[in-house]
Amino acid sequence: MKIIEEAISKYGKILDGEIIKVDSFVNHQVNPSITNELARYFVDQFKDTRIDKVLTLETSGIPIAYAVASILDVNMVFAKKSKSKIVDEDVYSEEVRSFTRGTVSTVTVSKKYILPNENILIVDDFLAKGNAAIGLIKIIKQGGANCVGVCATIEKSFQGGRELLNAMGIKVVSGANIVAFDGNTPIFG
Amino acid sequence: MKIIEEAISKYGKILDGEIIKVDSFVNHQVNPSITNELARYFVDQFKDTRIDKVLTLETSGIPIAYAVASILDVNMVFAKKSKSKIVDEDVYSEEVRSFTRGTVSTVTVSKKYILPNENILIVDDFLAKGNAAIGLIKIIKQGGANCVGVCATIEKSFQGGRELLNAMGIKVVSGANIVAFDGNTPIFG
């Protein structure tokens, strides 16, 4: 989407030629006008699919996930991240490695909020190596539900996440797909 | 608002006669239909006030803050919480004690996202003792901006937050105001 590519080019900061900082419209300050336009685009890409729920991972995925859920008029669930490996019996959990932070988190969702046979759309701010998305897909499967796709505001497809997800039969849609960096300039695909 | 009171009565769980768990529509799963109706109500309570920005505190305040910002068509900023007392030079920070968790966090907002003379509306999920709101108001003041009000999905006014904020001249609006608990039943005011 032109609007996301333009926002990245205008406001994004590239760190070390691979990490992209988009504090001004995604990760700290959020622009509802851009976010709602992106949400409409995501919903349109799944117009032939029944979606029962939107799942994201706290924190920065919440605004775009909420905007998508709001258009679809379905509930949105945000998975929780914790550093502790000790989890309650009443949650599904997976360990997820963060590419940008270099940390491992335990991601949990209450068993009450993933129901058998639900069609669940994952919506998040970033897709890089696909670790977070794959953790969420495993949680969806633990609950006997189906992941119908993964939407990300910004994708860095050269880091392999899309390929992994497609190999699992999962449709991937992103607002902007960065296929490479030329120094500190993103190249969109 | 009847819709929030009903959701609390139907889905909320009261712990120890003072902590209210609303995982099913606020803190883990979010219902956009309820949240958007609440956002319209909040916006309506400030219809005679210029609002330039909405400020919340990660994580559970984000959906309702986003919904309000979306109606107003202004940016939403979520303040970040960390356990570390070491903060960058480029942020405003305040220490905030959490009532439910019994922990102290350092709350930060980048100096780029609070601008002098902006009218900022605080929107959060809970208002109890008012600690988080007062931390955010101090951050707004550090940036030379004005806090025009505090909105909370659920208020426990018997814990004194509203009184403190009103004494500071701050208007408070909540979706449901719990004035007391009768055992594990909330009494709405």
Side-chain angles (χ1 to χ4, degrees):
Chain A
M1 281 185 84
K2 217 170 176 76
I3 194 173
I4 304 295
E5 295 179 4
E6 282 173 359
I8 293 170
S9 299
K10 199 168 167 190
Y11 305 114
K13 275 189 190 161
I14 317 297
L15 310 172
D16 306 327
E18 59 175 18
I19 290 172
I20 184 159
K21 203 164 178 258
V22 283
D23 261 17
S24 64
F25 68 102
V26 175
N27 297 116
H28 189 12
Q29 178 172 255
V30 179
N31 181 308
S33 160
I34 294 176
T35 308
N36 287 333
E37 187 170 334
L38 177 62
R40 282 188 292 271
Y41 170 73
F42 286 159
V43 168
D44 204 48
Q45 304 307 304
F46 289 88
K47 64 176 184 291
D48 299 322
T49 307
R50 193 193 82 228
I51 297 170
D52 302 310
K53 194 167 274 172
V54 172
L55 178 64
T56 190
L57 181 54
E58 64 180 9
T59 303
S60 301
I62 295 175
I64 180 63
Y66 179 82
V68 170
S70 189
I71 295 170
L72 293 169
D73 197 19
V74 299
N75 283 337
M76 182 269 280
V77 172
F78 55 95
K80 305 200 173 190
K81 259 181 264 184
S82 94
K83 280 178 188 157
S84 164
K85 290 192 181 187
I86 303 159
V87 294
D88 291 341
E89 271 177 25
D90 57 351
V91 301
Y92 300 117
S93 74
E94 289 290 335
E95 286 188 16
V96 169
R97 182 175 294 276
S98 162
F99 169 71
T100 40
R101 291 167 204 256
T103 53
V104 175
S105 305
T106 303
V107 169
T108 61
V109 178
S110 165
K111 290 181 180 173
K112 285 184 290 186
Y113 304 131
I114 305 276
L115 304 178
N117 302 316
E118 274 187 325
N119 276 357
I120 300 183
L121 180 66
I122 293 173
V123 178
D124 208 350
D125 56 340
F126 272 94
L127 174 64
K129 291 179 187 285
N131 294 350
I134 287 168
L136 293 178
I137 290 167
K138 286 181 181 167
I139 283 174
I140 289 171
K141 284 187 181 159
Q142 284 186 49
N146 318 303
C147 173
V148 296
V150 172
C151 295
T153 303
I154 300 171
E155 179 187 359
K156 296 186 283 181
S157 58
F158 64 92
Q159 290 180 330
R162 174 182 286 257
E163 221 167 359
L164 274 177
L165 293 168
N166 286 347
M168 295 165 73
I170 305 280
K171 179 173 171 177
V172 175
V173 178
S174 58
N177 180 6
I178 299 172
V179 296
F181 286 110
D182 177 7
N184 278 342
T185 305
I187 313 290
F188 298 108
Chain B
M1 282 184 84
K2 214 165 178 79
I3 193 172
I4 303 296
E5 294 178 6
E6 281 173 359
I8 293 170
S9 300
K10 200 168 166 190
Y11 306 113
K13 274 188 192 160
I14 317 298
L15 310 173
D16 306 327
E18 59 175 19
I19 291 172
I20 182 159
K21 205 165 177 253
V22 283
D23 261 17
S24 64
F25 69 101
V26 175
N27 297 116
H28 189 12
Q29 178 172 257
V30 179
N31 181 308
S33 160
I34 293 176
T35 309
N36 287 333
E37 187 170 333
L38 177 62
R40 282 189 293 271
Y41 170 74
F42 286 159
V43 167
D44 203 48
Q45 304 308 304
F46 289 89
K47 64 177 187 290
D48 299 322
T49 306
R50 192 192 84 227
I51 296 171
D52 301 309
K53 194 167 276 170
V54 172
L55 179 64
T56 189
L57 182 53
E58 63 180 7
T59 302
S60 302
I62 295 177
I64 180 63
Y66 179 82
V68 170
S70 190
I71 295 170
L72 294 168
D73 196 18
V74 300
N75 283 337
M76 181 270 281
V77 172
F78 55 93
K80 305 198 174 191
K81 258 180 264 185
S82 93
K83 280 176 188 159
S84 165
K85 290 193 180 186
I86 303 160
V87 295
D88 292 341
E89 269 177 28
D90 57 352
V91 301
Y92 300 118
S93 74
E94 288 292 335
E95 286 187 17
V96 170
R97 182 175 295 276
S98 162
F99 168 70
T100 40
R101 292 168 203 258
T103 54
V104 176
S105 305
T106 303
V107 169
T108 62
V109 177
S110 164
K111 290 182 179 173
K112 285 184 290 187
Y113 305 130
I114 304 277
L115 304 178
N117 302 317
E118 274 186 325
N119 276 358
I120 300 182
L121 179 66
I122 293 172
V123 178
D124 209 350
D125 55 341
F126 272 94
L127 174 64
K129 289 177 186 284
N131 294 350
I134 287 167
L136 292 177
I137 291 167
K138 286 181 181 169
I139 283 174
I140 290 170
K141 284 188 180 160
Q142 283 186 49
N146 317 304
C147 173
V148 295
V150 172
C151 296
T153 303
I154 300 171
E155 179 187 359
K156 295 185 285 182
S157 58
F158 64 91
Q159 290 181 327
R162 174 182 287 258
E163 221 168 0
L164 274 178
L165 293 168
N166 286 346
M168 294 165 74
I170 305 281
K171 177 174 172 176
V172 175
V173 179
S174 57
N177 181 5
I178 299 172
V179 295
F181 287 110
D182 177 6
N184 279 343
T185 304
I187 313 289
F188 298 108

